[in-house]
Amino acid sequence: MEIVAAIGAGLGALGGVIDDLIFTDEERQALDAQRVAAQAQVEAARLAQERAMLEAAAKARQAQAITVAAFTLGAALVVAALVWRKA
């Protein structure tokens, strides 16, 4: 088990050295800035999707409330007509 851990640590160190040879500090900062920008875009897309879903739900609730109000008004008119005919 210790051998596997040592090999893993050695490969990690080797990867760090290779990374240092491939990328300069400026390039690494640019990559980090791109990563942050990409994360911000993903978060913005998620928030836009969530907002669209909330707006759709609000419109559905509004339509449901209008339907209930229309049925209530219709029932009230029927009751009023029945009361008026019996009077």
Side-chain angles (χ1 to χ4, degrees), residues 3-39:
I3 295 173
V4 174
I7 291 173
L11 289 176
L14 182 61
V17 170
I18 291 173
D19 184 52
D20 288 340
L21 292 174
I22 294 173
F23 297 110
T24 64
D25 287 338
E26 293 82 16
E27 289 171 332
R28 196 169 291 111
Q29 288 175 351
L31 288 172
D32 283 342
Q34 287 177 348
R35 181 185 52 79
V36 169
Q39 286 176 339

Side-chain angles (χ1 to χ4, degrees), residues 63-75:
Q64 185 179 19
I66 290 171
T67 302
V68 168
F71 283 130
T72 303
L73 180 60

